[in-house]
């Protein structure tokens, strides 16, 4: 009964729709259950469930929890436009991401996918591959191809501001995750990056460090995430009576940091050498991978972590580093799943409520102390002084 021309659930929809239109199923008549449809058409229960969800969204049937699916009166039925795959165009939400992780996923996706599925929407994922041009083309083409809303993980909050603003201003559902456009009043869901930057610096200061370097391989203004972490770092120094020493701020070295492994290793050793000349005793890094590279450079140079150098990252998504030769990296954890879930909820709220999203939601972070941080010179000096007093 089913062919390979269209997705199986789409074919089931057409068959059931035809039966309803021909009067084989009359208003308020119960349809076969998910299990019965799966057996009847030789498909999985997931496929039959998807077909029933779509028919409900079309307004052809209604579902009662614990009772089953029933035919609606014809006056309430409608048939939405379909894209070439047979999937209802107004049920598709697309996500544009700048990279695919080594495990072929991104921490935000499970939260987005679970929420959208619970509301009867489908998720498509598109990789911009850190290309602003490719991101721009996706922003242009996806709405034309039937996507009803976009969740954007921007390459940079300095790029493609014009097209993002045009989509938002026209009422098209679009929200950002991870970053936000400071010049646009549009929906976004991000971590509390300022709080994370503040917490990292404050914890290092509490450990007795006063020469704390801030390290970002990209320019600080290029992404709102790094900018806010830097601002948090500066505020923590100021609140604790320490100057913000621009000589301890290292940024804008993407090409060297992403070079081939031997060159990259030499780059980080040279960078750490500069820091040590500035009497740096702690490094607050842009993210975990940069922190890990600094810790490796320290090992190569015979600098002990954390006895001589404390290192802090950001993200808590570098599992392999926990099993390497360097000490496990102290970090700030982001709740990726919650970020994804809230972004999906924003899109659905706009699709179903019609009101443009303008709020910026900040999801709390969590400090995770590991073995890459330890007492700084100030704390060690205080402890030695106390010991001398005890001896006397």
């Amino acid at each position: 009964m089913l062919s390979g021309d269209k997705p199986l659930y789409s074919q089931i929809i057409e068959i059931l729709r035809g039966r309803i239109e021909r009067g084989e199923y009359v208003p308020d008549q119960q349809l076969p259950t998910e299990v019965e449809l799966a057996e009847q058409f030789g498909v999985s229960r997931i496929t039959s469930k998807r077909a029933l969800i779509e028919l409900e969204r079309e307004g052809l049937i209604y579902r009662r929890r614990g009772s089953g699916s029933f035919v609606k009166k014809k006056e309430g039925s409608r048939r939405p436009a379909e894209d070439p795959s047979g999937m209802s165009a107004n049920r598709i939400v697309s996500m544009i991401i700048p990279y695919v992780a080594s495990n072929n996923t991104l921490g935000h996706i499970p939260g987005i996918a679970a929420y959208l599925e619970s509301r009867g929407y489908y998720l498509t994922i598109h990789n911009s591959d850190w290309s602003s041009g490719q991101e721009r083309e996706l922003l242009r083409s996806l709405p034309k191809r039937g996507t009803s809303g976009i969740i954007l993980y921007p390459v940079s909050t300095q790029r493609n501001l014009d097209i993002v603003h045009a989509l938002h201003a026209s009422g098209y559902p679009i929200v950002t995750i991870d970053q936000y456009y400071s010049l646009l009043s549009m929906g976004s869901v991000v971590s509390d990056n300022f709080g994370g930057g503040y917490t990292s610096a404050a914890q290092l200061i509490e450990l007795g460090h006063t020469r704390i370097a801030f390290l970002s391989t990209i320019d600080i203004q290029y992404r709102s995430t790094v900018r806010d972490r830097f601002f948090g770092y500066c505020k923590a120094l100021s609140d604790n009576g320490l100057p913000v020493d621009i000589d301890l701020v290292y940024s804008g070295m993407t090409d060297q940091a992403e070079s081939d492994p031997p060159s990259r290793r030499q780059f980080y050793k040279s960078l750490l050498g500069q820091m040590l000349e500035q009497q740096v005793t702690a490094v607050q890094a842009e993210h975990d991978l940069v922190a890990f590279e600094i810790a490796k450079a320290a090992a190569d140079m015979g600098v002990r972590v954390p006895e001589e150098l404390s290192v802090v990252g950001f993200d808590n998504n570098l599992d392999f580093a926990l099993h390497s030769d360097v000490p496990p990296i102290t970090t700030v954890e982001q709740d990726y799943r919650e970020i994804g879930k809230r972004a999906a909820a924003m899109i659905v709220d706009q699709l179903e409520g019609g009101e443009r999203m303008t709020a910026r939601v900040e999801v709390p972070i969590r400090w995770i102390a590991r073995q890459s941080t330890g007492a700084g010179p100030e704390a060690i000096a205080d402890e030695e002084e106390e010991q001398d007093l005890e001896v006397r």
Side-chain angles (χ1 to χ4, degrees), residues 128 130-139 155 159-160:
S128 65
W130 292 116
S131 166
S132 296
Q134 193 164 326
E135 177 185 272
R136 188 178 190 86
E137 179 55 32
L138 287 168
L139 288 167
V155 170
R159 305 289 176 83
N160 293 328

Side-chain angles (χ1 to χ4, degrees), residues 194-204 232-233 236 284 332 365-367:
F194 180 91
Y198 188 99
T199 296
S200 295
Q203 290 286 345
L204 289 170
Y233 156 87
Q284 184 172 331
V332 173
I365 50 84
R366 187 164 68 100
W367 172 256

Side-chain angles (χ1 to χ4, degrees), residues 239-359:
D239 285 352
N240 285 276
L242 297 175
V244 178
D245 187 345
I246 198 64
D247 290 335
L248 302 188
V249 179
Y250 301 81
S251 67
M253 304 157 289
T254 303
D255 291 341
Q256 300 98 311
E258 295 181 356
S259 58
D260 59 274
S263 298
R264 183 169 64 246
R265 194 158 190 167
Q266 186 57 44
F267 160 71
Y268 278 105
K269 288 168 65 175
S270 175
L271 183 61
L272 179 56
Q274 296 176 43
M275 292 180 182
L276 295 177
E277 288 179 3
Q278 293 286 339
Q279 297 182 315
V280 166
T281 63
V283 177
Q284 184 172 331
E286 162 196 354
H287 52 62
D288 289 340
L289 185 55
V290 171
F292 180 69
E293 294 286 1
I294 283 291
K296 284 200 301 181
D300 289 344
M301 297 168 65
V303 177
R304 295 174 299 158
V305 174
E307 291 84 358
E308 297 174 279
L309 182 74
S310 286
V311 181
V312 176
F314 206 107
D315 291 338
N316 195 34
N317 65 356
L318 206 60
D319 293 339
F320 73 85
L322 296 175
H323 309 287
S324 69
D325 294 334
V326 305
I329 302 296
T330 293
T331 190
V332 173
E333 183 179 67
Q334 300 192 65
D335 191 343
Y336 294 112
R337 189 180 184 95
E338 182 65 16
I339 291 172
K341 176 183 175 182
R342 294 198 188 190
M346 274 191 176
I347 287 287
V348 172
D349 286 349
Q350 181 165 345
L351 285 169
E352 297 185 354
E355 182 178 353
R356 280 186 294 178
M357 296 292 109
T358 59

Side-chain angles (χ1 to χ4, degrees), residues 129-198:
D129 197 24
W130 292 116
S131 166
S132 296
Q134 193 164 326
E135 177 185 272
R136 188 178 190 86
E137 179 55 32
L138 287 168
L139 288 167
R140 283 183 179 277
S141 63
L142 286 173
K144 296 176 182 178
R145 286 153 52 184
T147 290
S148 295
I150 292 175
I151 297 173
L152 173 64
Y153 186 136
V155 170
S156 167
T157 42
Q158 289 187 326
R159 305 289 176 83
N160 293 328
L161 187 145
D162 57 341
I163 188 169
V164 172
H165 174 65
L167 288 170
H168 175 66
S170 67
Y172 184 82
I174 179 170
V175 302
T176 65
I177 60 170
D178 185 75
Q179 302 171 62
Y180 62 89
Y181 292 87
S182 57
L183 297 177
L184 301 181
S185 297
M186 60 179 291
S188 61
V189 186
V190 299
S191 289
D192 179 10
N193 289 293
F194 180 91
Y198 188 99

Side-chain angles (χ1 to χ4, degrees), residues 48-62:
S48 62
K49 179 180 181 179
R50 189 169 181 178
L52 290 173
I53 289 174
E54 186 58 35
L55 285 171
E56 181 184 25
R57 299 302 180 187
E58 291 184 23
L60 290 176
I61 68 173
Y62 61 93

